């Protein structure tokens, strides 16, 4: 919904927009796309297989076909391309962990008033509980596995040799940066259970040999080592302004002179903090699931960065349709000049530079 609600009809349309999401979630809950697979089914065959009523399934399938997720020809249904791949548990492109996470949010959003009343998250899985952390980390991988390479392709890390993926979870972004930059080495910092998943993912990629893993509570512990780049993606919104300011100060001490802190998040872009819609709605998730999280504007984060001692702060815009979030990535520099850049400027770095390949 990108339009404003002005009339009662607008209001009714906005409220009843729950209908299609509920139909889609029912399809996922029945694991219908997996059952359909690559075959053509009549409703009665399918109803027998998934053990639901024929009447109920006929109406559900018709709506899934209306939405484009199934194809209907006469009396038979087949999968759409999306249904047969990302929604099908037997396909390698299946994104089941993320599907489970977002469909489970349906029940959580139904309890929104509880959090509005108390200002506290729903009593939920403990973020430190290893089983929960493992499932969530796989969900984050399934969320970004297509986006991360597109982002990495647009961020110029030439000259950088070391990158820290702070709160990197599955390390999907770190892996994408490594794949794009053959001279780079990366480290993922996160909770131990998240790092187990990151290790499993890295072991399936050649570039994974250049990835290391360091368990860290990023909220309370100093960041070990120093880096040319720190990538802080989708963590800002979990914490309060004060928490993030403290993280920024610690990040500065972990950057080499002239090093970069890159922050990717659901930034708001207007003075009143209303838009984009996705960033405003994401704050509701933070109310439901975190103690102090929220969404922030890039302007607010810029002030925190300046206070922490960062310089030359700018916004990197990604090509439309390739972004994780629509309002860009903050790029802030530690004071000083990176040693390699300094040498290159004076001309004495020639021998350090790899020979140009073109
Ligand atoms: C929403 S996920 C983002 C993962 C990844 N950076 C991405 O952009 O897809 C947030 C990550 O931050 C990690 N995280 C949050 N608080 C943390 C803390 N105090 N110490 C270590 N990791 C933390 C979580 O475990 C999780 O992996």
């Amino acid at each position: 919904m990108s339009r404003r609600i002005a009339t009662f009809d607008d209001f009714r349309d906005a409220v009843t927009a729950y209908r299609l999401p509920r139909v889609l979630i029912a399809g996922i809950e029945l694991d219908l796309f997996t059952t359909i697979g690559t075959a053509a089914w009549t409703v009665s065959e399918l109803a027998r297989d998934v053990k639901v009523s024929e009447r109920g399934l006929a109406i559900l399938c018709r709506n899934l076909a209306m939405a484009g997720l199934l194809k209907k020809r006469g009396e038979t249904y087949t999968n759409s391309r999306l249904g047969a791949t990302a929604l099908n548990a037997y396909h390698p492109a299946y994104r089941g962990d993320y599907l489970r996470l977002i469909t489970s949010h349906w029940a959580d959003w139904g309890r929104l008033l509880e959090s509005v009343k108390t200002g506290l998250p729903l009593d939920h899985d403990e973020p430190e509980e290893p089983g929960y952390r493992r499932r969530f980390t796989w969900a984050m991988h399934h969320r970004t596995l297509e986006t991360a390479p597109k982002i990495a392709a647009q961020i110029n890390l030439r000259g950088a040799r070391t990158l820290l993926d702070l709160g990197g979870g599955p390390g999907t972004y770190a892996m994408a940066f490594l794949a794009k930059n053959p001279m780079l080495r990366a480290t993922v910092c996160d909770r131990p259970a998240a790092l187990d998943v990151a290790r499993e993912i890295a072991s399936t990629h050649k570039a994974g040999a250049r990835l290391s893993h360091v368990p860290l509570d990023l909220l309370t512990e100093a960041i070990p080592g120093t880096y040319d780049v720190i990538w802080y993606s989708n963590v800002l919104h979990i914490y309060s302004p004060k928490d993030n300011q403290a993280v920024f100060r610690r990040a500065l001490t972990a950057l080499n002179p002239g090093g970069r802190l890159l922050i990717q998040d659901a930034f708001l872009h207007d003075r009143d903090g209303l838009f984009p819609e996705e960033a405003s709605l994401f704050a509701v998730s933070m109310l439901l699931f975190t103690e102090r999280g929220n969404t922030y504007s890039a302007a607010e984060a810029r002030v925190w960065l300046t206070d922490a001692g960062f310089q030359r702060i700018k916004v990197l815009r990604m090509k439309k349709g390739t972004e994780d979030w629509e309002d860009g990535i903050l790029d802030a520099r530690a004071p000083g000049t990176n040693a390699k850049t300094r040498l290159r400027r004076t001309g004495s770095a020639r021998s350090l530079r790899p020979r140009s390949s073109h």
Side-chain angles (χ1 to χ4, degrees):
M1 190 200 75
S2 47
R3 59 192 158 52
R4 314 292 299 274
I5 297 171
T7 66
F8 189 82
D9 283 358
D10 293 342
F11 179 79
R12 179 205 56 209
D13 291 350
V15 169
T16 55
Y18 60 75
R19 293 171 298 172
L20 183 60
R22 196 62 196 90
V23 165
L24 304 182
I25 290 171
I28 296 292
E29 285 170 342
L30 285 177
D31 216 358
L32 216 49
F33 307 97
T34 301
T35 304
I36 293 175
T38 52
W41 297 75
T42 63
V43 167
S44 54
E45 289 164 348
L46 196 55
R48 258 197 312 280
D49 202 284
V50 291
K51 300 184 178 56
V52 294
S53 75
E54 223 175 293
R55 174 169 180 256
L57 194 66
I59 291 177
L60 186 69
C61 284
R62 182 177 4 128
N63 278 274
L64 290 170
M66 172 275 292
L69 285 177
L70 294 180
K71 291 195 241 171
K72 183 172 192 286
R73 190 159 295 141
E75 292 307 306
T76 61
Y77 284 95
T78 52
N79 253 328
S80 64
R81 217 163 100 87
L82 181 68
T85 55
L87 311 184
N88 171 7
Y90 292 126
H91 196 277
Y94 183 51
R95 291 162 85 161
D97 292 287
Y98 188 51
L99 290 174
R100 274 187 284 280
L101 180 74
I102 56 178
T103 54
S104 74
H105 285 174
W106 180 268
D108 296 328
W109 279 66
R111 297 173 58 196
L112 176 59
L113 263 193
E114 292 176 39
S115 285
V116 170
K117 285 180 184 167
T118 61
L120 295 170
L122 302 175
D123 49 347
H124 223 279
D125 305 291
E126 164 57 37
E128 303 286 348
E129 197 273 308
Y132 168 77
R133 184 53 42 198
R134 187 178 168 78
R135 288 190 298 280
F136 185 84
T137 307
W138 273 111
M140 289 303 99
H141 178 59
H142 285 174
R143 175 180 176 274
T144 54
L145 55 87
E146 280 184 2
T147 311
K150 293 179 193 159
I151 301 284
Q154 294 172 77
I155 299 182
N156 186 350
L157 296 185
R158 202 173 45 218
R161 293 289 175 269
T162 49
L163 176 143
L164 173 69
D165 192 354
L166 186 59
T172 314
Y173 274 102
M175 289 303 306
F177 285 120
L178 287 173
K180 172 82 183 131
N181 300 276
M183 305 301 286
L184 193 67
R185 302 191 78 80
T187 305
V188 188
C189 276
D190 209 295
R191 298 167 165 126
L195 295 182
D196 288 342
V197 174
R199 276 190 202 93
E200 285 170 44
I201 293 169
S203 71
T204 64
H205 294 265
K206 206 168 135 221
R210 287 181 278 126
L211 187 68
S212 50
H213 307 82
V214 174
L216 180 85
D217 183 339
L218 63 86
L219 210 51
T220 56
E221 293 179 83
I223 299 168
T226 55
Y227 305 87
D228 295 331
V229 180
I230 297 180
W231 174 249
Y232 190 55
S233 166
N234 293 314
V235 186
L236 191 86
H237 56 242
I238 302 172
Y239 291 116
S240 69
K242 218 167 137 205
D243 295 330
N244 281 303
Q245 283 166 292
V247 171
F248 291 175
R249 284 193 292 274
R250 283 198 294 278
L252 188 70
T253 65
L255 278 171
N256 292 324
R260 294 162 80 183
L261 173 61
L262 297 169
I263 307 168
Q264 173 171 260
D265 216 282
F267 290 120
L268 296 152
H269 61 213
D270 58 312
R271 207 161 23 146
D272 293 322
L274 308 180
F275 300 102
E277 175 183 303
E278 186 57 34
S280 252
L281 286 174
F282 202 70
V284 181
S285 287
M286 293 304 100
L287 174 65
L288 289 169
F289 303 124
T290 72
E291 280 173 19
R292 303 189 291 277
N294 207 334
T295 47
Y296 307 104
S297 70
E300 280 173 281
R302 199 184 269 265
V303 172
W304 308 337
L305 286 164
T306 308
D307 287 350
F310 284 91
Q311 303 174 344
R312 293 188 277 159
I313 304 161
K314 58 183 180 186
V315 176
L316 307 179
R317 299 258 164 221
M318 301 294 108
K319 271 190 231 114
K320 207 162 172 41
T322 66
E323 322 97 317
D324 195 332
W325 300 101
E326 67 184 88
D327 265 83
I329 293 168
L330 272 177
D331 182 355
R333 296 265 174 179
T337 312
N338 178 291
K340 284 195 189 77
T341 315
R342 207 165 46 234
L343 287 170
R344 208 173 294 147
R345 279 197 192 137
T346 60
S348 47
R350 230 162 274 142
S351 58
L352 290 179
R353 258 181 286 163
R355 210 172 291 154
S356 165
S357 56
H358 52 91

